[in-house]
Amino acid sequence: MVGKKSGKALLREEGLERTDNNMELTSWPAIAAINQKNYYTEYLKRDDQILAYRLQQEENRNRMTKQARDRDRALAQGRPMGPDGDVEMDEEQDEVQDEVSKGTKTIVIHIGSQNLRIGLASDALPKTVPMVIAKRSQKSESEEPDGEPKPKRVKLADGGDPEPEKQFGEEFASRFAAMSNELKIRMRMNKRRVLPQSRDMVLSYNKRNPPETISEHNDPLRIDWTEIPTNPKQAPEYITGKKALRIPDKSTPRYKLYWPIRHGWVNELDYQSKNFVWHDIALIIRDAITEHLGLNLKPRREWAQYACVFVIPDLYDRKYVTSLLAMGLTDFGFGRVCFFQESLAASFGAGFSTACIVDIGAQKTSICCVEEGMCIESSRVNLKMGGHDVTETFVKMLLYNHFPYADINLKRRYDFLLAEELKQKHCTMNESDITVQLFDFHLRAAGQDTRKYTFKAYDEVILAPLGLFKPPIFDDEHKLDGRRRLIDRSYDIYEGAANDPTSTAQAEILTQIAPHLAVPTKPDTNGTTTTNGNGTTTNTTTTTAETNGYPDNPAKARPQSQSFARIKDSNSTPRSTPAGSPSRDLESTPQPSGTPAVEKPASDSEGEEEPLSIERRDDILAVHPLPTSILTSISHASRTSSQKIRDFLGGIMLVGGSSLIPGLPAYLEESLQAIRPGYAKDILIGRPPRELDAQVVAWKGGSVFGRMGKTNDSWVGGLEYERLGERVLGYKCMWAW
């Protein structure tokens, strides 16, 4: 039997006995915990604690100090006082101030998918440079293995070419015929004469009309092609701008064309590295500054004397903007850089304070409502269609009707320029001009005699631009290829979520295009939006499937009357899915003129979750009819205010090169009135005032912004960028970065 042990023995055996001498573990004083209910900090809550604001205040103080010293010096020298109480300064100081106010030291750059607009802020108009670079290669773009004729044509089993009516497939033929029949019905309703057998007249003429050959010395408008030295060592490594488009396709050595910007995005399809993309963009801009602006800035200190204004899209990629910032301050060495959004720049250039800007470019169309000098974020829409789609569709329609130049290939440089010329000359949306007409053009190719073609056309001239209203006629097969292959989206460094700018109007359009990709959202008080367990967006009032006329599985329904959207699956395999027509709140029934219906946006930017996740936004091709996209943008900008709806509908302004199609404003106005008859009297579509070219109005607004001088607080300097990096944009941008 074991005896009973004392308490000290148990503590000693169990190792619990205290052996220290009651000394503290450290001599540092103990700090009491913070009372979580009552604590306060001033960190980054005052302007003098933020570097960007502090530098700006120091610059203002230095300027005021300099002005006071100059005034005292002038008074001491006995100079007279001016009528406003200021001392008259000398000519040298006036010249320095004029350089800032007149913008002679400010370069304005507007990068587009097809053209670059660049110029000094003091210039009346910018220089237009094709946004293309030709680089030495083994083969040109038309000689590569995949250099198939563009637009793509169907081949027979034996490799031959089918009849023109069948070379683009049955789907295109049926849509072309449907659009032609709808046009005839519309013209008859408008009491316009429709000649019978008009298409037969076109076909019979085009089939039997050979070209006429003109020798080169008899051609007064012959083209001066870019001469390439035959010695490869003397040939340049790259050529930019218009000279690149004038390089013969079969030059020695060969050159291949690269377009760094594609559909408003950075071109990730034709490049193998993102560094090459930004390098090509920098080369194009540098050559444009040197050749077209006449600024030969070789020493780096000379670049620091100039400031730069970049005009960027409304719905931009953050990495695109930050890369331009690094390019301007680091690669070029500009003294300061600022950014300006396209729609706001267009309103500046036109002098409008409230407007709905519709910018129809070459490969993208952007829509945004501007109010009191600010872009309404929830109204921004970016569509991946534009004038290039009209050009390609116009060529397909001409070939369908036995175009005499059947070998046209838009991958050849002279054919691409020819197609653009034909579109600009002949495409129209005036129904009064639709009749069988005789046209002619001259085909000029390097090393060949000029050929003069004559052809007839009927309704192709209006049906091609009508694709902006009926996008299914466009070829959208490869527009999403390569997206996010080189450049990933921007993510928040703290939460890890994608932080590229979003828009509820854009999200609603993408949800209409691909309703089965919508993410669950919180139902609002009116029960407008709910989701089921499968993640398909439904509507308690009118479901998306019911509105679009599709069954529950939209991938199984392919009605030809609806548009088709390109969806990129998780395994990067593109497929087709129907893009629904606009929801019923945009197709309101006729209302009495005194009580127009006011719609509620599907969601707004205050506390509501968007119907489509940001991560899936890049997987859906944003191609949607232009009128309904405009109404969607306005509905999200107005926030159920009837007066704002009238203001925006009465201030729709068309800008961009593709908006110059004759008759487009009137046709768009009529389409909007048909969709919204309650606001028919308020809808008004105009062009920029003062006879300003619609192609350069956004650049013009950027030049106005660059000359604002003291009132412009958006400039980012080299010191700020060196200390803060891209974080400085959060303090400098005019919008919520």
Side-chain angles (χ1 to χ4, degrees):
M1 181 176 179
V2 180
K4 184 177 181 181
K5 295 184 179 181
S6 64
K8 292 184 177 181
L10 288 174
L11 291 175
R12 185 170 57 255
E13 293 177 1
E14 298 295 334
L16 300 177
E17 184 179 6
R18 185 169 182 174
T19 59
D20 60 357
N21 52 2
N22 289 332
M23 294 182 64
E24 297 291 340
L25 296 178
T26 177
S27 60
W28 289 88
I31 301 177
I34 297 177
N35 184 1
Q36 297 294 329
K37 296 182 179 180
N38 184 18
Y39 70 93
Y40 179 76
T41 179
E42 293 185 352
Y43 179 66
L44 292 182
K45 290 188 177 181
R46 298 196 309 267
D47 289 349
D48 57 357
Q49 296 176 336
I50 300 175
L51 177 63
Y53 295 155
R54 189 165 63 248
L55 292 177
Q56 181 178 338
Q57 292 174 358
E58 291 178 0
E59 183 179 355
N60 293 334
R61 283 197 301 268
N62 293 337
R63 183 170 57 249
M64 294 175 62
T65 302
K66 183 178 181 301
Q67 291 176 354
R69 290 176 179 174
D70 293 340
R71 186 175 184 274
D72 294 341
R73 185 182 302 110
L75 290 175
Q77 295 175 357
R79 294 181 184 175
M81 298 286 292
D84 53 355
D86 294 335
V87 181
E88 296 182 0
M89 310 302 293
D90 55 10
E91 296 181 358
E92 183 178 352
Q93 293 177 344
D94 289 341
E95 290 178 358
V96 175
Q97 294 179 358
D98 289 343
E99 285 183 353
V100 178
S101 60
K102 293 182 180 180
T104 56
K105 293 290 185 178
T106 303
I107 300 175
V108 183
I109 300 175
H110 185 195
I111 301 176
S113 300
Q114 188 164 315
N115 290 311
L116 167 71
R117 318 282 182 188
I118 188 170
L120 295 173
S122 57
D123 296 339
L125 294 174
K127 306 294 183 181
T128 300
V129 183
M131 193 66 190
V132 62
I133 182 172
K135 303 170 74 173
R136 292 179 58 173
S137 177
Q138 295 181 353
K139 296 181 179 180
S140 64
E141 60 275 9
S142 60
E143 296 175 331
E144 291 183 340
D146 60 343
E148 58 190 8
K150 188 179 180 182
K152 186 177 180 181
R153 306 168 199 178
V154 178
K155 293 289 184 181
L156 297 177
D158 57 356
D161 296 329
E163 293 294 326
E165 295 86 352
K166 299 180 181 179
Q167 62 183 353
F168 299 113
E170 297 180 358
E171 190 174 1
F172 176 80
S174 61
R175 290 176 180 172
F176 186 17
M179 293 177 65
S180 181
N181 293 332
E182 291 178 5
L183 177 63
K184 291 180 181 179
I185 296 174
R186 176 186 173 90
M187 293 179 65
R188 289 193 181 100
M189 291 178 59
N190 294 335
K191 297 182 179 180
R192 299 189 183 278
R193 186 180 180 183
V194 179
L195 295 177
Q197 299 180 348
S198 298
R199 191 170 301 278
D200 295 337
M201 297 169 59
V202 172
L203 296 179
S204 62
Y205 183 87
N206 291 341
K207 287 180 181 179
R208 58 180 175 82
N209 188 35
E212 175 187 354
T213 303
I214 303 175
S215 58
E216 185 177 358
H217 63 275
N218 290 330
D219 185 9
L221 300 177
R222 57 182 177 271
I223 297 175
D224 294 332
W225 300 95
T226 303
E227 296 183 1
I228 304 297
T230 56
N231 188 356
K233 295 182 179 180
Q234 298 178 357
E237 290 294 331
Y238 69 91
I239 301 175
T240 62
K242 295 180 181 179
K243 294 182 179 179
L245 294 177
R246 292 303 184 186
I247 300 176
D249 291 80
K250 296 184 180 180
S251 63
T252 303
R254 293 287 197 272
Y255 283 84
K256 181 181 178 181
L257 296 185
Y258 290 90
W259 302 82
I261 304 297
R262 179 171 175 265
H263 304 299
W265 290 323
V266 175
N267 188 353
E268 301 173 80
L269 178 62
D270 300 330
Y271 286 86
Q272 299 301 322
S273 171
K274 62 181 180 180
N275 294 331
F276 291 160
V277 184
W278 297 117
H279 181 65
D280 286 356
I281 294 175
L283 289 178
I284 296 173
I285 295 176
R286 188 183 298 271
D287 286 359
I289 293 175
T290 303
E291 297 180 10
H292 298 277
L293 301 186
L295 302 177
N296 191 8
L297 307 177
K298 290 185 178 180
R300 190 173 181 84
R301 62 178 179 272
E302 293 186 6
W303 287 91
Q305 300 175 7
Y306 287 82
C308 181
V309 178
F310 284 105
V311 181
I312 61 173
D314 305 317
L315 272 179
Y316 54 85
D317 286 346
R318 271 178 171 248
K319 289 192 175 181
Y320 173 75
V321 179
T322 55
S323 299
L324 289 181
L325 178 63
M327 181 189 302
L329 294 177
T330 304
D331 298 341
F332 289 106
F334 287 122
R336 50 183 184 173
V337 171
C338 71
F339 297 96
F340 205 38
Q341 291 174 296
E342 285 178 342
S343 296
L344 186 57
S347 66
F348 265 61
F352 294 162
S353 60
T354 301
C356 177
I357 307 298
V358 181
D359 188 351
I360 308 176
Q363 297 183 14
K364 75 172 180 66
T365 299
S366 61
I367 307 169
C368 181
C369 294
V370 178
E371 184 180 21
E372 299 300 333
M374 291 296 293
C375 290
I376 301 178
E377 297 181 356
S378 59
S379 68
R380 296 175 294 183
V381 173
N382 193 309
L383 305 178
K384 301 307 177 183
M385 63 179 185
H388 185 74
D389 297 291
V390 176
T391 302
E392 186 173 338
T393 305
F394 185 49
V395 172
K396 292 172 69 173
M397 291 180 176
L398 290 177
L399 291 172
Y400 186 89
N401 289 336
H402 293 261
F403 189 56
Y405 179 36
D407 295 333
I408 186 172
N409 182 3
L410 298 186
K411 288 194 173 182
R412 288 198 292 258
R413 295 150 199 175
Y414 58 88
D415 283 347
F416 171 75
L417 297 175
L418 173 64
E420 288 288 331
E421 180 184 354
L422 292 176
K423 179 195 69 173
Q424 295 173 6
K425 284 185 176 180
H426 306 313
C427 281
T428 180
M429 298 204 72
N430 292 322
E431 294 180 1
S432 58
D433 299 335
I434 306 306
T435 183
V436 178
Q437 302 181 64
L438 180 63
F439 303 111
D440 63 71
F441 66 91
H442 293 77
L443 176 63
R444 298 178 175 90
Q448 303 178 19
D449 289 335
T450 302
R451 285 169 285 173
K452 180 181 179 181
Y453 287 86
T454 58
F455 68 99
K456 284 188 176 182
Y458 175 49
D459 56 0
E460 304 96 317
V461 295
I462 190 174
L463 294 183
L466 193 60
L468 297 172
F469 300 78
K470 299 179 182 296
I473 198 65
F474 291 155
D475 182 13
D476 301 329
E477 184 178 358
H478 300 291
K479 289 185 177 181
L480 279 179
D481 293 353
R483 181 62 174 155
R484 297 300 183 192
R485 186 173 66 89
L486 301 177
I487 302 175
D488 196 9
R489 59 175 60 88
S490 175
Y491 293 96
D492 187 84
I493 60 176
Y494 298 106
E495 299 179 357
N499 59 356
D500 282 332
T502 59
S503 167
T504 54
Q506 180 82 357
E508 180 180 339
I509 289 176
L510 296 181
T511 304
Q512 294 172 10
I513 294 174
H516 63 288
L517 293 182
V519 298
T521 58
K522 300 177 182 179
D524 55 18
T525 55
N526 297 328
T528 304
T529 306
T530 59
T531 55
N532 56 19
N534 298 327
T536 303
T537 302
T538 59
N539 192 308
T540 56
T541 305
T542 304
T543 63
T544 307
E546 178 186 354
T547 304
N548 297 335
Y550 297 131
D552 294 336
N553 187 2
K556 295 181 180 180
R558 296 174 59 90
Q560 295 181 357
S561 60
Q562 303 293 336
S563 59
F564 287 72
R566 292 261 288 118
I567 309 298
K568 187 168 64 175
D569 294 334
S570 57
N571 57 0
S572 300
T573 302
R575 60 187 176 90
S576 297
T577 193
S581 57
S583 56
R584 287 185 180 177
D585 60 344
L586 295 176
E587 294 180 344
S588 57
T589 55
Q591 301 289 334
S593 58
T595 58
V598 178
E599 295 81 7
K600 182 181 183 302
S603 60
D604 50 43
S605 58
E606 294 184 358
E608 291 191 9
E609 196 173 1
E610 291 186 352
L612 195 70
S613 64
I614 302 177
E615 287 75 11
R616 298 310 301 268
R617 187 183 70 179
D618 295 330
D619 298 338
I620 304 174
L621 181 62
V623 175
H624 204 63
L626 184 60
T628 54
S629 301
I630 295 175
L631 293 178
T632 302
S633 174
I634 292 177
S635 66
H636 283 264
S638 60
R639 291 183 174 272
T640 71
S641 172
S642 177
Q643 184 59 41
K644 284 188 177 181
I645 291 178
R646 291 189 175 91
D647 292 341
F648 289 129
L649 288 176
I652 300 176
M653 185 175 66
L654 292 180
V655 299
S658 300
S659 67
L660 298 176
I661 299 175
L664 178 59
Y667 193 95
L668 179 59
E669 185 174 324
E670 186 177 349
S671 300
L672 293 174
Q673 291 172 352
I675 299 176
R676 300 296 301 274
Y679 290 95
K681 297 181 180 180
D682 301 313
I683 296 175
L684 180 63
I685 298 177
R687 294 192 182 274
R690 302 186 299 274
E691 299 182 356
L692 187 62
D693 188 359
Q695 301 179 82
V696 302
V697 62
W699 180 94
K700 191 66 176 178
S703 67
V704 174
F705 183 69
R707 296 196 304 266
M708 292 180 65
K710 303 176 183 179
T711 58
N712 186 355
D713 299 334
S714 302
W715 294 108
V716 178
L719 177 61
E720 299 164 286
Y721 182 71
E722 180 184 356
R723 300 283 181 85
L724 299 178
E726 62 186 55
R727 291 178 297 167
V728 70
L729 294 175
Y731 304 111
K732 290 294 186 175
C733 289
M734 297 177 59
W735 62 91
W737 171 256

